[in-house]
């Protein structure tokens, strides 16, 4: 199974012809609520590919929290360790998008930040029996680190996505990551290098691997990704499909979720092959609008991916 320890966020999206100024009230023309949060997004993609999944997370004891848990169940994700708290509201992202597609966003992490190491101890049975444990940085870093340590001590493969990135990441995040997967801007924040090409991404990956990970992957949007491993220590560029991108929001989460699926269920594949397939799946996700709503299901994907 794949266990994700991570975030759930309710996206509150208003479309308006322009963004309001300070103190101003304007009319928008459309509103919708979406399910987001990097932890849940990645878990949903892994589940839609056929992984048995469990999300260890915390939402509020409120309607957004109830709806989120219902959404996880609809995606066949185990919610046994989806905790609900009275002490904070479910995480939200309030988003305003104008006609040019520009946006302003306020994220309130809320209950996500209350997921703690005691909650992890409650979920030790599921974490220690997983094939892959995946976490990010939208929850308290101490909780993510605790999850990595718990998985490592049980021999569970660890996949870490340092997003959103923090410049002075605790060095243990590197040593506890079997697979460390970030995007260009996260690689820049973590290394101080400028990352705009596969060659740059290779340099950043070398620097990150020097900090103690077994495998480093840097994603490059339409450029695919670059991989580096202790066994193949020369950076390798893996291009992706050329597609017409409609909405790239959440592409990185689709990619990471797909990678978790392959690491857990197709461990005999080469890393390069897993990344080709993850590229393919993420490229499908950018061809439809929305985040989770754009993630493909196994039944809709070509058979050669499985
Ligand atoms: P993030 O969403 O974190 O910014 P990226 O933009 O690097 O992450 O995208 C992650 C992955 O999604 C890429 O490695 C690639 O496989 C796929 N992807 C993203 N944008 C495109 C695109 N325009 N065309 C094809 N694939 C894409």
């Amino acid at each position: 199974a794949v266990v994700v320890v991570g975030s759930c966020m309710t996206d509150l999206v208003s479309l308006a012809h322009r963004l309001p100024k300070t103190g101003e009230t304007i009319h928008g023309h459309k509103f919708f609520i979406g399910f987001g949060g990097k932890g849940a997004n990645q878990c949903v993609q892994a589940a839609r590919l056929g992984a048995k999944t469990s999300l260890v997370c915390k939402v509020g004891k409120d309607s957004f929290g109830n709806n989120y848990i219902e959404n996880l169940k609809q995606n066949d994700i185990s919610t046994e360790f989806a905790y609900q708290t009275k002490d904070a509201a479910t995480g939200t992202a309030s988003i305003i998008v104008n006609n040019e597609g520009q946006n302003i966003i306020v994220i309130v992490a809320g209950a996500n930040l209350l997921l703690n190491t005691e909650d992890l101890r409650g979920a030790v049975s599921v974490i220690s029996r997983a094939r892959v444990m995946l976490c990010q940085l939208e929850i308290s870093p101490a909780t993510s680190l605790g999850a990595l340590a718990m998985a490592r001590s049980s021999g569970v493969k660890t996949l870490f996505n340092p997003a959103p990135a923090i410049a002075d990441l605790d060095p243990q995040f590197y040593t506890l990551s079997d697979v460390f997967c970030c995007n260009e801007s996260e690689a820049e924040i973590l290394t101080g290098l400028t990352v705009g090409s596969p060659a740059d991404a290779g340099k950043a990956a070398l620097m990150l691997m020097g900090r103690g990970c077994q495998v480093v992957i840097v994603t490059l949007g339409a450029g695919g990704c670059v991989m580096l491993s202790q066994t193949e220590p020369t950076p390798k560029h893996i291009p992706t499909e050329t597609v017409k991108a409609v909405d790239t929001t959440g592409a990185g989460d689709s990619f990471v979720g797909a990678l978790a699926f392959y690491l857990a269920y197709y461990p005999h594949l080469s890393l390069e092959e897993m990344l080709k397939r993850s590229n393919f799946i993420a490229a499908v996700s950018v061809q439809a609008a929305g985040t989770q709503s754009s993630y493909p299901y196994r039944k809709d994907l070509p058979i050669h991916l499985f």
Side-chain angles (χ1 to χ4, degrees), residues 1 85 89 104 120 131 158 165 176 191 193 200 208 246 267 277 289:
T85 178
I104 51 173
L120 294 180
R131 293 193 194 163
T158 57
L176 289 171
T191 62
L193 301 174
D200 294 343
L208 295 170
V246 172
R277 296 182 190 195

Side-chain angles (χ1 to χ4, degrees), residues 8-293:
C8 295
M9 300 270 187
T10 304
D11 293 338
L12 306 168
V13 187
S14 298
L15 307 184
H17 62 288
R18 63 178 178 83
L19 305 177
K21 300 186 175 68
T22 306
E24 188 188 18
T25 301
I26 62 169
H27 279 285
H29 51 270
K30 196 177 174 187
F31 173 81
F32 59 90
I33 294 182
F35 295 108
K38 292 172 190 295
N41 290 346
Q42 294 172 15
C43 196
V44 164
Q45 181 63 85
R48 289 187 185 175
L49 297 176
K52 188 174 182 298
T53 53
S54 208
L55 181 61
V56 180
C57 63
K58 194 168 273 186
V59 296
K61 237 184 175 63
D62 49 29
S63 58
F64 287 154
N66 295 341
N67 289 343
Y68 214 113
I69 288 175
E70 188 51 38
N71 170 57
L72 297 174
K73 287 182 177 153
Q74 297 226 330
N75 280 285
D76 274 330
I77 295 167
S78 164
T79 56
E80 191 182 353
F81 301 104
Y83 299 98
Q84 282 192 281
T85 178
K86 284 192 189 128
D87 299 331
T90 298
T92 51
S94 299
I95 306 172
I96 304 172
V97 185
N98 71 11
N99 284 351
E100 282 71 58
Q102 296 166 315
N103 58 42
I104 51 173
I105 303 178
V106 178
I107 288 181
V108 181
N112 288 299
L113 295 182
L114 299 187
L115 185 69
N116 56 36
T117 47
E118 196 178 316
D119 299 324
L120 294 180
R121 281 195 290 278
V124 65
S125 58
V126 63
I127 294 173
S128 63
R129 282 194 218 122
R131 293 193 194 163
V132 170
M133 195 290 302
L134 162 60
C135 62
Q136 314 76 21
L137 290 175
E138 266 183 354
I139 57 173
S140 141
T143 306
S144 284
L145 205 52
L148 289 166
M150 183 181 272
R152 175 62 63 83
S153 71
S154 313
V156 175
K157 193 176 263 297
T158 57
L159 170 54
F160 178 56
N161 172 227
I166 38 185
D168 53 346
L169 194 62
D170 186 317
Q172 285 180 278
F173 277 105
Y174 299 99
T175 53
L176 289 171
S177 295
D178 292 321
V179 181
F180 188 98
C181 180
C182 63
N183 68 16
E184 285 163 289
S185 63
E186 288 145 10
E188 288 188 342
I189 292 168
L190 294 168
T191 62
L193 301 174
T194 303
V195 181
S197 66
D200 294 343
K203 283 183 199 135
L206 279 165
M207 189 187 277
L208 295 170
M209 186 131 93
R211 297 178 189 171
C213 340
Q214 297 302 305
V215 170
V216 176
I217 296 148
V218 179
T219 63
L220 298 162
C225 63
V226 164
M227 63 171 260
L228 186 62
S229 69
Q230 297 283 5
T231 47
E232 256 185 276
T234 311
K236 190 171 218 168
H237 179 215
I238 298 137
T240 184
E241 317 295 309
T242 304
V243 298
K244 192 176 177 311
V246 172
D247 180 356
T248 61
T249 323
D253 292 337
S254 170
F255 181 92
V256 175
L259 180 58
F261 166 77
Y262 287 115
L263 288 167
Y265 290 92
Y266 291 82
H268 58 279
L269 288 180
S270 67
L271 180 63
E272 182 174 359
E273 184 58 30
M274 292 186 198
L275 297 177
K276 278 185 188 159
R277 296 182 190 195
S278 302
N279 268 339
F280 187 100
I281 289 161
V284 171
S285 83
V286 307
Q287 295 174 71
T291 304
Q292 292 179 14
S293 51

